[in-house]
């Protein structure tokens, strides 16, 4: 008997108040991603859509836009709290939330939402150019765009042993080296990804999350190279390609209980090309993730 | 005895009135592509040009710019008619036309031009992110930028069996799925292209067109990824690279009787980088296509 | 006993008066590259930095910014002379200069600086889309952005036999073909680089320079594809990727005595993404080049 | 007894297929103007709004967005017909339509809508840098963005004697000189407007329309200088200021039965500044035009 | 005896976390304004500078850049507190602080700094398109970019009776109307400014502040029209010109004890033209304000 | 008997090698100004053109494009020499040259061309934000974009007493103050121009040049405010408007023997709006200057 088909809920989080290092502007992302998503879904007919990649007709996924989480522009903690609560509500109601940031403080809010709505272990697949494992400093506090993975891993049932970071590159603080070593977080750097290819990367990720009870997929758009994603909070050369991102997200989708795309920045974008890419990531996630993988 | 060297004619089609879905602006493409082509050809000396890729001196191709087809800004059918007639004239005079769109309604006009000037079967190699097999709808009519391949395949001697689409991606109407299945049109999606590489893709295309009497190569610039071709009518992530495009067009050129580049859009371009890429596609086509393949 | 660790000196050359063919604007590059470099080096702690690519802690390289060479805006030869003298001074003082152009006239000034400060043969590894082997013409004179490699190879102890050009593409003058053939300069075109991959390319370069007494690495940013480096003097499609550039520069660094990055153009850049890439090239060069290779 | 307060209807016309000379892109204007209008109207409280210019509280105007007219992207005449019918319907239902183009072919559609819904004479106040009195030519046909005023004046009850053009500048065809002379159309050039000031210009316009039974106000955004309105179909220097436009539209509003803003072009705009200006023109028109002038 | 010449201190406030409604990005303003100021001051020779406007040589003002206030990116109140303390310190040390925002939350911080360092009444001359008299709401809290004037007027010795707002325009909340009426704040709208001219506006402002013990001049760059200041947090048409702004700030400078420029936004700017304008406002303020007016 | 009608010659000078302080890029101006001019002149019919400003039909001026002066990209003095010689040739042949820079080193070349082709005194009307009276310094040498007026006034028969500078603003070197005082050069600053208006400014200029035997009008586009002319070598706030520029150039044209427009910069322009403005200045100059004023 096939698994029951899953329903998806779009939740916007138009807030970039925690982007203490990157370009601000991701507050405008939900609006532009939705606009692009509207164009993609115009091709649904009679509940079906044709995928060129698979060459097949697919049932068009059930996606409901439930509007924005209750963002409070001047209050980061209220914003995070409302957003994670909204994500949790979606999960509790049996849906798969698709959270549209906003900056990468929502890496934590998304994880927390899945965590609070479930019991059992929670793994995070974290696509990003950066580690986001900052502990605390004066300028950024505890919950900035640089600390989301660390805060996520501190949740009670978060499973570092099943979590993995993908797309990392360049240089970081020695303290981050120590944190990674001590915590046992796994990673596939952008350089390795390019070397081994998308299929091998997918296999390694699936192997890593195997055994986790729940999986949150959080995608900071800067995991992708700025050539493909110029509208981002940071333009870090040497990222993965948009083709690899699409292929990987499609393959992981059946294994994931929630999804977030963060750091899309319309203020630095070129003709909405990054918002369009983000919209496709969401739609591929839904099309290929509507039938959950057997666990 | 070597095949007689072919002569090329540049024909402009500065019209984008059929771009009912994509960004308008390709009306400015012929001007900017010509400008870029002028810079490339400054390196010809004594009738020769040095190709870094081949490492050889080549006879500089004979390229004549015959100006624009008679575009009628408010009349799509007159525009299509005049343009296909101009292409046909070029073929009849023994030349290889290089048509510079304009939007992708010229996919049809280019095919029709080759078709009307010849007898025997006509194959189309169609590079595009999109299928362009729309039949008819109220908003777009019969001959928009979304229907060129369908209209082309309806020509009397068009050979669907020898035609192929390259670079396709993402989602489309279920009706398009049915059309592709029923018509038997072949395709190499962008995902497959990335997977198998340019050499294998070229081989599959050549195998497909083998047996056709005439071949039209029509290149919608959005077959190429928006990272490499930001100046396009649509910015669809996950396309082929500019390097792959150059390699493929160079290899196919000896087998093609006419060429068109469409949907280059200077209004969304970055410092003419897409117009420059289009100009290179034209020049590689001419340099490596001046000696026709044996049939 | 380990080789003594090397120190690096940043030297700016904010001059683009020799950019007779490309976009002007590289005069603003040193300012923007330094700005980006300042952000990268914020991650150094206690003299160490964590490389995601190597997965290791590294001693943070000793990099001193010694300011700009004495540029004379209206006098190309004074500018070249002062700049090569400043490079030479840096080498004589036992440092590894990192020269930030400016346009590609500094290909020559950088080579000359290393040459004049040393005895023995000097090889040049020249990344570029273009050959820069123009001899002389009325419009560009003898020392433009198009002639730097030729002038470099004319230096007394320059070793053409150990020099190599990487990233070349498209078309050039027949005269250039003859110069390459007669001089014996080696090359890896962008097409070959893509075909054989970065590791094989690195191996070929290292084999080529083997035996040279000194090596200057000069990197015209347009060796990289305009998708990754839109802020350049020319936007030539089909270049190498930023990932390949980073990997290659990192691997070559221990073998090089001086480094230059040229033709970064903030006037055509997108949100400093190319200046950021250039800053990373410099930093990877320093991190992975601080321990010189045994010769 | 005060005149009954008027209600306004926003009608979008996202079509630029008649922009045969100017930049295309005004098809995106209704979306962006509505977005800006949404921000302006956030300041309404309890049915009131505070005007800084008047220093008064005003009843917030009743504005209903009735969506887009039925645009047919490939069929100019269907588009014009549907749009003028939609405008006429709005007038017949007792409302004041505010038509958001689209290109300036809607100058005619707007006038025709008012004309067809009423009896008696119809005057047009036409703000534009250009005359739009082209009769017919091969390239533009009869109903392009260059002929709207001529077609409008040809309507049965159009009153050239009460119509006036404002903001005209630069050079035009001798044939246009003759048409203006023969038709008796009045005008205030941009140069005169600057010289006499907004108050005198308003007085001349009001004097001109005095006696007309109905008045259509059609505002091509390029009447305003490109410094203030860079997002336009043409960037003609020497136009009126945005301040003058706001003041003039506010003063004319009580005398006008319908309003249209055309040629706003998001593709050439800077951060929606022109769309924002257009939204303000609409809102000032509604605030200050809700109480009709006595006739 | 001439009044003692005043010294100026530049204080940066690179923070835009309170820009809950406008475009974020003013965090980058101090960097770009300083860059522009550096170019302006290159023309000082022997302690003198030549003003074209006055036709005179002037003593070059003593301007010291004391760096940035201690900004805490995730903590608005710490940021405001540190900034007002830094401004106060500057005043206590006998200097005239020039505060470079950051967003318009610094309207309050600047006023508070002057207030806390002095005794006696404090007037505010507030240039802005907007009122900034919001009391409190959920989304913006108490100290956003929309409430700075209200918070300023609530300071113990703030003198509403001597304060004035300049450049206001468009529409606002009815509650704001009531606040203005009840508080007695004076204003010159942008429309009035255009009507009466800069000289009359200056006279009215000077008359208003006459009798205040201290005066803070706070200039939100959006008081100026977006044609002249595209790099701003909001692009409100119909503002004053840059010429008028320069003339007015120069005339008011001798009467002001502190100055702030806020809401300059490099992310929406065009080639730093707004940052350059802001730098000029600062320099005119210093040149013409170094000799304080007699009180 | 009417004065003989004058003929105009367009001479391009695509060189910006002397822009040692401003943005480079004016090398692309001749191309873009010609493109814009081509659009303007499409409205000529039967040798006539209709001016909206005058309300009259005018004989279309005889304008011949004689191509570019012989620019030598690496040799400033050759470039200046060839250009002034080309201007002189045009004057000697009885034409009125219209020189399209290129940077403002051509202020000198234009003056010298008129000077060398004539006898008697030569006056210069110099529109500019800057003085351009630098003598010599190491960085700029003697003939940069900052010294053109000084070099012009040093020509044998240059008449400082009949020359005038218009549009000046902001701050300059004390040495410039002394030069202006000692040389007796007249000026109308941008501030004065705004205060007295275009008509009074024209009258003062005409009074100043009265008595000179020949007059060269040289227009650095930055005399105009960056709001109207963003595509310039420097963006100096507070300039004259495009409307004032058009009116003034039209009025001065009959009195001028040659004209130059410099420092238009397509690299910083917005959709060619500054190139379009420059083209209009040229065309107004020709239309209203074809009948020379009686001397």
């Amino acid at each position: 008997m096939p698994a029951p088909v899953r329903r998806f809920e779009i939740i916007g989080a138009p807030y970039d108040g925690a982007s203490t290092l990157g370009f601000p502007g991701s507050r405008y992302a939900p609006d532009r991603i939705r606009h692009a998503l509207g164009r993609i879904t115009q091709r649904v007919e009679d509940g079906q859509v044709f995928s060129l990649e698979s060459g097949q007709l697919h049932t068009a996924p059930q996606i409901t836009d439930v509007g924005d989480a209750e963002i409070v522009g001047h209050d980061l903690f209220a914003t995070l709290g409302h957003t994670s609560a909204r994500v949790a509500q979606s999960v509790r109601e049996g849906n798969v939330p698709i959270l549209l940031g906003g900056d990468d403080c929502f890496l934590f809010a998304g994880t927390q939402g899945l965590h609070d709505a479930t019991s059992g272990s929670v793994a995070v697949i974290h696509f990003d150019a950066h580690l986001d494992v900052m502990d605390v400093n004066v300028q950024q506090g505890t919950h900035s765009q640089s600390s989301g993975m660390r805060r996520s891993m501190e949740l009670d049932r978060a499973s570092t042993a099943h979590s993995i970071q993908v797309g990392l590159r360049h240089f970081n603080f020695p303290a981050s080296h120590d944190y990674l070593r001590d915590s046992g977080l796994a990673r596939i750097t952008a350089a390795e990804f390019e070397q081994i290819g998308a299929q091998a990367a997918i296999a390694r990720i699936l192997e890593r999350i195997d055994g986790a009870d729940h999986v949150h997929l959080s995608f900071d758009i800067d995991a992708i190279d700025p050539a493909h994603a110029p509208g981002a909070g940071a333009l870090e050369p040497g990222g993965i390609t948009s083709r690899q991102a699409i292929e990987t997200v499609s393959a992981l989708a059946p294994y994931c209980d929630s999804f977030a795309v963060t750091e899309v920045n319309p203020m630095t974008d070129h003709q909405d090309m990054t918002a369009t890419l983000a919209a496709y990531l969401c739609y591929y996630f839904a099309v290929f993730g509507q039938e959950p993988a057997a666990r």
Side-chain angles (χ1 to χ4, degrees), chain A residues 6-278:
Chain A
R6 308 195 294 178
R7 283 163 299 148
F8 300 87
E9 286 191 340
I10 300 278
I11 301 168
Y15 172 85
D16 55 21
S19 60
T20 33
L21 284 182
F23 294 122
S26 57
R27 67 182 69 180
Y28 303 115
D31 177 51
R32 302 314 300 161
I33 297 173
R34 282 164 165 140
H35 191 269
L37 201 53
R39 295 180 63 91
I40 295 169
T41 54
Q42 285 175 346
R43 290 186 166 140
V44 172
E45 269 177 351
D46 300 329
Q48 288 192 304
V49 73
F50 171 31
S51 161
L52 269 300
E53 275 78 8
S54 73
Q56 307 284 325
L57 289 180
H58 296 255
T59 303
Q62 300 176 47
I63 304 176
T64 307
D65 190 333
V66 298
D68 291 338
E70 192 185 339
I71 300 302
V72 185
H74 66 98
D75 189 335
L76 168 61
F77 289 96
T79 294
L80 289 175
H82 295 160
T83 304
S84 69
R86 188 66 196 78
V87 169
Q89 177 190 341
S90 180
V91 174
R92 286 198 191 95
E93 293 172 1
N95 299 312
V96 179
I98 296 177
L99 180 63
L100 307 180
D103 68 50
D104 213 11
C105 69
F106 294 107
L107 163 54
F108 171 67
T111 308
Q112 190 183 38
L114 177 60
H115 178 270
D116 290 0
T118 59
S119 56
S121 63
V122 174
V124 178
I125 306 172
H126 176 214
F127 281 78
D128 204 320
H130 307 95
L131 290 167
D132 293 6
V133 298
M134 176 66 59
D135 190 359
V136 57
N137 63 35
V138 172
Q139 292 309 313
Q140 301 189 282
T142 56
H143 283 74
S144 73
Q145 64 181 173
S146 300
S147 54
M149 193 57 178
R150 185 145 186 169
R151 292 295 91 80
S152 293
M153 292 298 98
E154 292 168 356
L155 289 166
D156 283 354
R157 287 169 281 101
S159 170
T160 305
H162 289 106
S163 294
I164 187 166
Q165 299 187 290
V166 185
L168 305 171
R169 51 198 189 267
H170 306 320
F171 301 96
N172 219 297
F173 297 98
S176 299
H177 169 267
D178 297 350
Y179 175 80
L180 291 186
R181 182 195 57 202
D182 298 344
S183 67
L185 256 179
R187 63 181 179 271
I188 301 173
T189 65
E192 284 176 283
F193 199 109
E194 177 62 23
Q195 193 179 2
I196 66 179
Q199 286 306 314
I202 291 165
R204 275 182 54 185
I205 298 168
L206 291 179
E207 183 179 9
R208 178 77 180 178
I209 62 173
D210 188 45
D213 294 310
H214 306 285
V215 179
H216 179 56
L217 173 56
S218 194
F219 203 112
D220 182 322
I221 204 72
D222 74 9
I224 300 172
D225 195 89
H228 300 273
L235 302 184
E236 301 281 4
I240 68 174
T241 69
S242 55
R243 167 60 52 207
Q244 292 167 334
I246 288 170
E247 182 176 350
T248 307
V249 165
S250 300
L252 299 177
Y255 301 88
C256 298
D257 301 287
S258 51
F259 183 40
V261 180
T262 64
E263 294 286 356
V264 173
N265 190 338
M267 287 186 79
T268 69
D269 207 357
H270 178 83
Q271 297 281 132
D272 281 345
M273 74 184 259
T274 311
T276 300
L277 168 57

